[in-house]
Amino acid sequence: LYRREPGAELGSMTLVSVVTELFAGALFVAVWLLTDWGAGLALLISVPTTLVFCYASQPWCMAAWVGIDYLTDVSNREWWAKPRQ
């Protein structure tokens, strides 16, 4: 049984945001510590890289959120989410 609850996409959107922000922060630290680029070149490379990462990680984050949502429904003993025996 497949169904969507109101706000079902909110969790996956939050997960994508958190993962992208962590990636952008790690990229910023790497560019800051490992290169001697100026601010313009750093932005020219970092912003498109972060956007590509965001779009590439979205399907993975959505799949992970579906799994998390299902596991919470199983642990909450939802009527529809009974594991098969």
Side-chain angles (χ1 to χ4, degrees), residues 4-83:
R4 289 184 187 253
E5 296 175 349
E9 301 297 323
L10 183 61
S12 65
M13 287 179 3
T14 304
L15 188 58
V16 167
S17 296
V18 169
V19 168
T20 302
E21 288 174 18
L22 290 174
F23 176 79
L27 185 62
F28 172 78
V29 169
V31 167
W32 181 267
L33 295 177
L34 302 176
T35 68
D36 58 350
W37 296 343
L41 180 60
L43 283 174
L44 188 66
I45 298 211
S46 299
V47 170
T49 304
T50 302
L51 289 174
V52 168
F53 178 83
C54 178
Y55 284 110
S57 65
Q58 184 181 15
W60 295 99
C61 289
M62 289 180 75
W65 187 255
V66 167
I68 291 168
D69 193 29
Y70 180 72
L71 287 176
T72 58
D73 286 348
V74 168
S75 67
N76 290 336
R77 297 185 185 354
E78 295 284 337
W79 65 270
W80 67 272
K82 293 189 167 85

